[in-house]
Amino acid sequence: MGGITGWVSFGQDLTIRHDVLAAMTATLLPRGRDAGGLWTSEHAALGNRRHAVQDPANGAQPMFAGHATITYDGEVYNFQELRADLSARGHRFTTRTDTEVVLRGYLEWGLGVAERLNGMFAFALWDARAQRLVLVRDRLGVKPLHYYPIGGGVLVGSEPKAIFAHPSTCREVDADGMREMVFHTPGRTVYKGLYEVRPGTILTIDRTGTREHHFWRLETAPHLDDPEETAAEIRRLRQDTVARQLVADVPVGWLTKRSGDLLELFQAVPERVALPVEGADDLFEGALPTCDLPDEVLAALDLDTYLADSHATAIGEIARLPGESDEDWERRKTAYLHLTRTLPAVLDRIDRVSAAAGLEVRLPFTDHRLVEYLYNARIPSLTWSCRTGSRSG
């Protein structure tokens, strides 16, 4: 866990705007009380608040190597394998952090580093050679990452309050923002001019503009495993995911009970990192915030039209398998809407509350391999007939 900030301006010298970056970064103190750092160059500035769980004595951020500087929040669970690969390619590490693995991974693979990462992560990286800012967010959107375009550049922050600490911003909620309180659209926020990097997405920002690249999407695929094979694969993925997420240089605890108040639950954990013992449904029941608006406001927002359009857009993103029954198609649509529209709002609240409690919460159920497998395995009638013992579809 940590907090990141950034500011890119191609029209001014940011080395003399250290105070603004410091103010932005200071708003994220609860996300990282162990250390803080600022880095400025002519056209780019990065800030970081660190909650140290890997190599606490080292790993100060922002971190730089070669032509790249990074500010990073999250955990990459396969960093040890990637580190070994990079070491074999000639990279020499000075810390035991996953941050340095991501940084050197960019130097080796460029934007291709994102698809190699397994974990929850959000980072901003300044490439001095290409004179571009790279923003990357994990596949399910466990870690938040916001940006706010301004004249000649962009502002970046883990949370909106970091961006709104900049004097060029305006905290305004318009009609579209109020609609977002009711139904979340990937990439949008409740504030006018403020956006989220969409889950599974890379943004690059340079003098010519902003480009978006998706390194992961939730895809439809045939499920060909029988029930026994399915159960075994789910078990294998869960065991591997939990084993990876237990790796830390600080004590790891367990969230073993439900509570009506998430902050109370998180504050009760004495360790710095925690995993849930039970499934997400038990632990985070009721975690999705609700929004009650006056009737006259609801009427003005024309929510029926908005929800119909938003629903149609979401459904249009899903591929239907040939021969998929109407029942299975409905289940697939429900699963997709939950994973891409409802879950991000839940994850955002979990992130905010855990940050306020000074606790890094790791969520095994958000491992993208498990999500991909279960998303398609939950459509049973197309791919397996228990009566005949044969595959169908």
Side-chain angles (χ1 to χ4, degrees):
M1 185 180 71
I4 67 175
T5 58
W7 179 13
V8 167
S9 177
F10 295 105
Q12 58 181 305
D13 182 0
L14 297 186
T15 61
I16 61 173
R17 304 301 303 275
H18 187 276
D19 58 328
V20 177
L21 180 66
M24 294 171 62
T25 307
T27 66
L28 300 179
L29 177 62
R31 302 185 66 91
R33 297 185 181 277
D34 294 324
L38 305 174
W39 173 88
T40 58
S41 66
E42 184 177 4
H43 298 304
L46 302 175
N48 185 272
R49 293 299 317 180
R50 188 184 182 208
H51 180 84
V53 298
Q54 300 286 354
D55 196 4
N58 299 296
Q61 292 192 56
M63 183 182 292
F64 61 90
H67 57 275
T69 304
I70 190 173
T71 181
Y72 167 88
D73 171 28
E75 301 294 334
V76 171
Y77 303 123
N78 63 334
F79 79 98
Q80 293 171 326
E81 297 98 311
L82 294 174
R83 180 188 176 106
D85 187 352
L86 290 165
S87 295
R89 295 169 182 266
H91 290 266
R92 296 294 175 262
F93 290 84
T94 59
T95 75
R96 292 182 288 105
T97 64
D98 55 340
T99 304
E100 188 177 8
V101 170
V102 175
L103 176 59
R104 294 190 177 277
Y106 176 83
L107 295 176
E108 182 67 33
W109 299 303
L111 300 181
V113 66
E115 62 195 39
R116 297 172 183 262
L117 306 178
N118 176 312
M120 55 177 192
F121 50 85
F123 61 88
L125 182 148
W126 176 249
D127 185 326
R129 181 181 298 168
Q131 288 288 289
R132 70 178 181 184
L133 182 70
V134 178
L135 303 178
V136 182
R137 191 178 182 197
D138 66 70
R139 295 168 180 83
L140 271 295
V142 180
K143 286 298 177 182
L145 186 55
H146 299 83
Y147 66 100
Y148 188 107
I150 56 175
V154 68
L155 303 171
V156 178
S158 293
E159 298 183 27
K161 63 184 178 182
I163 290 173
F164 289 128
H166 191 285
S168 296
T169 60
C170 177
R171 193 189 300 253
E172 178 183 353
V173 178
D174 59 9
D176 286 336
M178 298 185 75
R179 295 184 184 104
E180 285 300 308
M181 296 179 185
V182 179
F183 187 86
H184 175 69
T185 305
R188 298 182 185 174
T189 76
V190 300
Y191 296 107
K192 184 177 181 180
L194 180 72
Y195 304 92
E196 291 181 339
V197 176
R198 294 199 279 181
T201 298
I202 302 169
L203 285 187
T204 58
I205 301 157
D206 59 22
R207 293 177 184 273
T208 65
T210 301
R211 283 166 292 281
E212 184 179 65
H213 166 70
H214 299 281
F215 67 91
W216 184 83
R217 296 178 188 269
L218 186 60
E219 301 283 3
T220 300
H223 183 73
L224 303 179
D225 293 343
D226 66 34
E228 291 76 18
E229 292 168 339
T230 297
E233 180 63 8
I234 292 172
R235 188 180 305 111
R236 184 193 69 81
L237 287 170
R238 287 183 61 185
Q239 290 173 344
D240 180 71
T241 298
V242 171
R244 289 177 181 275
Q245 296 195 15
L246 286 174
V247 175
D249 291 337
V250 297
V252 177
W254 300 93
L255 296 167
T256 57
K257 65 176 182 178
R258 280 192 293 174
S259 169
D261 182 85
L262 281 182
L263 183 59
E264 175 188 330
L265 172 63
F266 294 156
Q267 287 177 331
V269 179
E271 292 84 5
R272 297 169 61 83
V273 180
L275 279 72
V277 172
E278 303 297 333
D281 288 343
D282 263 353
L283 184 61
F284 301 117
E285 183 178 352
L288 183 62
T290 59
C291 179
D292 295 321
L293 297 173
D295 291 342
E296 59 271 22
V297 175
L298 291 174
L301 293 177
D302 191 13
L303 287 178
D304 288 342
T305 301
Y306 172 74
L307 290 172
D309 291 345
S310 298
H311 184 270
T313 298
I315 299 305
E317 298 168 359
I318 314 171
R320 183 172 183 174
L321 290 174
E324 190 166 56
S325 71
D326 289 344
E327 180 183 359
D328 288 341
W329 174 235
E330 288 302 317
R331 282 202 292 257
R332 186 182 297 283
K333 290 192 292 185
T334 299
Y336 187 88
L337 286 169
H338 172 72
L339 289 167
T340 64
R341 267 57 178 183
T342 304
L343 182 62
V346 176
L347 294 174
D348 179 70
R349 183 161 184 257
I350 293 169
D351 174 84
R352 301 283 186 90
V353 179
S354 63
L359 177 69
E360 177 175 287
V361 176
R362 300 180 179 181
L363 304 172
F365 75 93
T366 60
D367 184 286
H368 71 278
R369 301 168 301 161
L370 185 60
V371 169
E372 289 170 340
Y373 191 78
L374 289 173
Y375 173 66
N376 290 295
R378 67 185 295 152
I379 315 296
S381 64
L382 177 69
T383 57
W384 184 258
S385 170
C386 293
R387 284 197 303 273
T388 64
S390 62
R391 300 182 192 278
S392 62

